[in-house]
Amino acid sequence: MTRRAGRALIVLMLAAILLAPPSARAEEPPLLAVVSQQAGRLTLVDPVAGRVVGEIALDKVPAGIAVTRDGRTAYVTHPDLGQVSRVDLTAPAVTARYRIGREPFGIALDSRDESLLVTDWSGDALIQLDAATGAELGRVTVGRSPAGVVLDQDGAHAYVADRESHTVSVVDLAQMRRVATWPTGTAPFALALSPDGRRLYVANVRSNDLSVLEIPNGREIARPRVGLMPYGVAVSSDGARVVVTNQQSGKLAWLEAGTGTVHSEERIGEYPEGVLNVGGGLFAVALWADDALCIVPDIPGSGCRSVIKLPPGPRLLAVAPRQTGPQ
């Protein structure tokens, strides 16, 4: 091939890439939706570019957040108001307010984004709401002061961290019935599932450790000490590593998922709380006292790749996929 022909081929290849429809190009990375509790704000962040791309005013003291799979709608709990806010991320604005329980805190969407599962901190219950209308569809009594909630891979069961009962409640969602109670360390708060759905990782705030539970039997196979007041937990995409935020020490602990042993620790900022696997080899950590979001590569000891300033009191966060379909 001549040099001129080679240059012509490169031009044609670049043109094909640029003119290709969006579906033919590489998928854009998701955004992050971060709730700032003190400021009463929801911030949309591009974790790859390391910048804020949007901000939405919320009612006071927002806490938990869940986002639909199309990235268009977020649901935010407000424990002090007994309320869940529905937020249109395309508007962007709060479009509905649902009254629920006493102190709604943790929140998750079902596998079809049709209903919400919300923990009621002072009501000791898991409540199911219609996501479109806010109508209560069911509730079940769980342990005392339920905090985090996650669903299994097929959406059949919810796992609830019962902070003051020191257990995880397993709820059959088809019947809205508690079918098992699994012991943990002291004051379980945050939960994360392994990618294969066979292990549940539970951060225990007061015993400063991590319960590693087998699914479906709930047997605790390890409980390593991870640091002072672990408030968040996430798992790498390949399931090989677990990361835990330790609020009081300002550190991120890295664990080997296979053995449950702590691999290393690194200081990342003041009062780290929520942590999330963003995908693309990145984790995001909300730094409460620094009013910032730390983007951490999935490499132990690598530190923050970028630090993004946020409104005061960032605490919990969720992946917000780039919006798809007609706008």
Side-chain angles (χ1 to χ4, degrees):
M1 181 183 293
T2 67
R3 189 174 298 174
R4 180 177 297 176
R7 285 199 296 267
L9 179 60
I10 291 172
V11 170
L12 288 171
M13 291 172 65
L14 288 172
I17 292 171
L18 292 172
L19 294 174
S23 59
R25 303 176 196 170
E27 282 189 16
E28 290 185 287
L31 299 177
L32 296 176
V34 188
V35 169
S36 289
Q37 199 167 61
Q38 290 174 290
R41 291 288 188 274
L42 188 160
T43 306
L44 292 173
V45 175
D46 184 327
V48 175
R51 63 186 180 90
V52 171
V53 298
E55 188 175 305
I56 304 166
L58 300 172
D59 294 337
K60 68 177 185 178
V61 197
I65 182 169
V67 178
T68 55
R69 287 158 181 78
D70 62 9
R72 297 183 183 183
T73 307
Y75 298 89
V76 179
T77 59
H78 301 264
D80 289 10
L81 302 177
Q83 172 184 304
V84 169
S85 294
R86 187 181 71 204
V87 184
D88 185 337
L89 297 178
T90 68
V94 175
T95 56
R97 295 169 173 85
Y98 304 151
R99 299 293 299 175
I100 171 176
R102 298 178 184 175
E103 289 185 276
F105 184 76
I107 187 167
L109 280 152
D110 72 7
S111 58
R112 297 183 178 180
D113 290 341
E114 294 176 349
S115 68
L116 303 169
L117 287 307
V118 182
T119 61
D120 186 349
W121 179 273
S122 60
D124 300 338
L126 179 69
I127 303 173
Q128 185 178 36
L129 299 181
D130 185 297
T133 67
E136 184 173 320
L137 303 176
R139 70 170 60 205
V140 58
T141 298
V142 291
R144 292 187 293 124
S145 301
V149 55
V150 296
L151 273 59
D152 65 10
Q153 289 185 321
D154 60 8
H157 297 91
Y159 304 106
V160 179
D162 304 321
R163 177 165 164 155
E164 298 306 316
S165 294
H166 320 306
T167 57
V168 166
S169 288
V170 183
V171 176
D172 182 322
L173 295 177
Q175 303 179 59
M176 280 304 284
R177 182 172 66 90
R178 182 164 63 165
V179 294
T181 304
W182 298 339
T184 64
T186 306
F189 187 80
L191 309 159
L193 279 169
S194 62
D196 62 9
R198 297 172 63 183
R199 288 187 178 182
L200 181 68
Y201 300 94
V202 186
N204 302 309
V205 173
R206 289 205 293 270
S207 53
N208 300 322
D209 50 25
L210 183 77
S211 290
V212 183
L213 306 179
E214 281 187 334
I215 294 175
N217 58 36
R219 184 173 71 92
E220 187 177 60
I221 58 176
R223 192 191 295 178
R225 291 185 65 81
V226 292
L228 297 177
M229 295 189 74
Y231 259 88
V233 58
V235 187
S236 63
S237 297
D238 61 5
R241 291 162 300 287
V242 180
V243 294
V244 179
T245 54
N246 293 305
Q247 187 203 65
Q248 292 299 304
S249 63
K251 292 182 178 180
L252 190 68
W254 296 81
L255 291 83
E256 296 178 359
T259 62
T261 58
V262 176
H263 177 275
S264 62
E265 289 183 291
E266 58 183 302
R267 184 165 176 81
I268 56 168
E270 296 297 324
Y271 277 64
E273 292 210 0
V275 59
L276 190 67
N277 179 352
V278 181
L282 297 174
F283 291 99
V285 181
L287 302 174
W288 168 275
D290 286 335
D291 301 331
L293 189 70
C294 167
I295 305 300
V296 184
D298 184 7
I299 304 171
S302 58
C304 297
R305 188 178 87 168
S306 60
V307 177
I308 305 158
K309 293 302 291 183
L310 295 175
R315 191 174 189 190
L316 297 176
L317 59 162
V319 169
R322 304 276 180 163
Q323 292 150 19
T324 58
Q327 302 296 308

